[in-house]
Amino acid sequence: MEPSKTTIRPFDFRDFGLLRRVGERGVCLDTEIALTRGAHSLQTALLSYLAPGASTPTFVLPPDGEDGQIGAFGQVRHRPGSEEARITYIAPQEALLGSGGEALVERLSIAAGERGAHNLLAEVGDGTEEFETLRALGFSVY
């Protein structure tokens, strides 16, 4: 894959509309969150904006009118002191499968490393398109 020229940035209030527009079409990559409290991506993004470092950071791939990119976002959770971080949510689901997904996952990986994580986990079913995409991006089966 070619290196992406896409700019991924932290969530701020100008991204509120994007999160509302594509948030329901996302995929939760953390089973614990999905089964216990649900993936409340918009609330999580607002909390991470208001209390940086205390929550799950959200990163945004802005829409690009030139190549038809609709925009996407991803979230990563890292508990202080833990050696592992988890990609919790990516929306819309098709963004993970497209060219912007590579840049978004790379930025989530960087954020996890900056917080002290040594491993980055994402839970997907085997045989799914998401599984194949993450394998192509360097994830391995655990």
Side-chain angles (χ1 to χ4, degrees):
M1 297 180 127
E2 289 183 23
S4 178
K5 298 174 186 162
T6 309
T7 303
I8 308 292
R9 57 181 165 72
F11 168 81
D12 66 21
F13 276 110
R14 66 184 157 174
D15 302 315
F16 187 78
L18 172 67
L19 267 66
R20 291 206 25 98
R21 193 169 51 251
V22 301
E24 294 298 318
R25 299 189 338 237
V27 58
C28 186
L29 302 174
D30 187 330
T31 306
E32 178 185 341
I33 287 175
L35 295 176
T36 58
R37 57 180 195 241
H40 300 289
S41 58
L42 185 57
Q43 294 90 335
T44 303
L46 290 172
L47 180 60
S48 71
Y49 179 75
L50 296 173
S55 184
T56 303
T58 300
F59 293 93
V60 174
L61 170 64
D64 183 5
E66 292 179 16
D67 68 2
Q69 175 73 347
I70 59 169
F73 72 94
Q75 297 174 325
V76 62
R77 178 179 66 157
H78 176 251
R79 293 185 173 124
S82 176
E83 289 190 0
E84 65 184 41
R86 295 177 176 268
I87 297 177
T88 58
Y89 202 75
I90 292 182
Q93 185 172 6
E94 56 269 14
L96 181 60
L97 308 176
S99 61
E102 178 182 355
L104 190 55
V105 170
E106 182 178 345
R107 182 61 185 101
L108 295 173
S109 300
I110 291 168
E114 290 172 345
R115 292 173 153 247
H118 296 202
N119 302 307
L120 182 61
L121 306 175
E123 298 175 9
V124 296
D126 57 344
T128 63
E129 291 179 329
E130 293 85 5
F131 176 84
E132 297 302 326
T133 300
L134 290 171
R135 289 284 302 196
L137 293 176
F139 281 72
S140 59
V141 177
Y142 176 65

